[in-house]
Amino acid sequence: SFLPGSGRLQVVQLPPTTCEGRPVVAADAGEVEVRVDSGFQEGDDVLVHYDSMISKLIVWAKDRETALVHLHQALEQYKVVGVPTNIEFLKRAVLHPVYQNPQRLTTNFLQDHQQELLDDPGPSPADYAMALLAVWWHEMVPPRGNQAQCMARAVGTFRVNDPVEIRVDFQAEGGGVASVCGTPMGQGK
C-alpha cells in the first residue's frame, strides 16, 4: 500500500551524499553524485496533514547502469523506523530487469510488474539467523547471574576484560548457510 503513514521517525539514517545542498551535476564524467533532499530528521513527527514524502534521493552518473548501481547502494543504506516507507519496493524496482533496460522500460512498468514488485519476499536467511541467534543467546546467557560464568557457558572460554565475539552458523534445509557474528553490548567492538 502506498497510502501515507504518520508517526514518529524513531530512526533515520540517510545514505552518504556527495553534493550537500547543491544541484546534482558531476564535474567529471566518471564521477557519481548522490543527493538527499529531506525536510525531516530523526525524532520528528510525520503528520497526516502534510506530504508524506520524507526524503528524495537523486543519483547522477555517467550512464544509467552506473547510476542504478549507486541508486541501489544508496537505498540499501537508508534506514527509517517509525513510519512505513517504500524503500523495499524501490530496491526491487531498481533491480528489475525491465527497469534496468531502457529499451524495454515503458510508462506501464508499475502496472505491468505490480505483482512481482509488491510481493513481499519474506524474511531473508540473515533475518532467520538473527532470530535464531537471539533465541540462542537468550537460552545461553540468562539475564541475571554471574556474568563470567554465563559467558564461559556461552562461548566455552572467557577472559575478564577481553571482548567476546560469538559466531553462530545456521544451515538451512536447502543447503544455504547464514552466519551471524556478534559482540555482547558493552564488550568492546
Side-chain angles (χ1 to χ4, degrees), residues 157-176:
T157 60
F158 178 74
R159 280 184 59 168
V160 176
N161 297 326
D162 273 355
V164 175
E165 183 171 289
I166 298 170
R167 177 187 168 117
V168 180
D169 296 319
F170 300 96
Q171 184 163 359
E173 288 179 17

Side-chain angles (χ1 to χ4, degrees), residues 96-116:
H96 196 282
V98 172
Y99 192 85
Q100 292 189 0
N101 183 344
Q103 284 75 35
R104 295 179 55 205
L105 185 62
T106 70
T107 55
N108 290 330
F109 172 72
L110 294 179
Q111 181 180 345
D112 293 346
H113 303 282
Q114 179 177 359
Q115 192 60 45
E116 50 194 299

Side-chain angles (χ1 to χ4, degrees), residues 50-113:
Y50 299 97
D51 185 349
S52 60
M53 184 171 69
I54 59 175
S55 68
K56 176 173 55 176
L57 174 63
I58 304 137
V59 176
W60 186 96
K62 64 180 179 173
D63 56 44
R64 178 181 176 80
E65 183 180 334
T66 304
L68 289 175
V69 167
H70 288 275
L71 176 59
H72 188 265
Q73 287 174 352
L75 288 166
E76 284 285 334
Q77 294 171 323
Y78 255 100
K79 303 291 180 244
V80 178
V81 176
V83 297
T85 72
N86 64 348
I87 294 171
E88 293 303 316
F89 169 82
L90 294 172
K91 289 192 296 191
R92 286 192 295 271
V94 166
L95 291 177
H96 196 282
V98 172
Y99 192 85
Q100 292 189 0
N101 183 344
Q103 284 75 35
R104 295 179 55 205
L105 185 62
T106 70
T107 55
N108 290 330
F109 172 72
L110 294 179
Q111 181 180 345
D112 293 346
H113 303 282

Side-chain angles (χ1 to χ4, degrees), residues 132-169:
L132 287 169
L133 179 61
V135 169
W136 177 83
W137 188 259
H138 178 74
E139 293 297 318
M140 294 301 291
V141 183
R144 293 190 180 89
N146 181 315
Q147 186 67 16
Q149 193 176 44
C150 294
M151 291 303 296
R153 194 173 91 212
V155 296
T157 60
F158 178 74
R159 280 184 59 168
V160 176
N161 297 326
D162 273 355
V164 175
E165 183 171 289
I166 298 170
R167 177 187 168 117
V168 180
D169 296 319

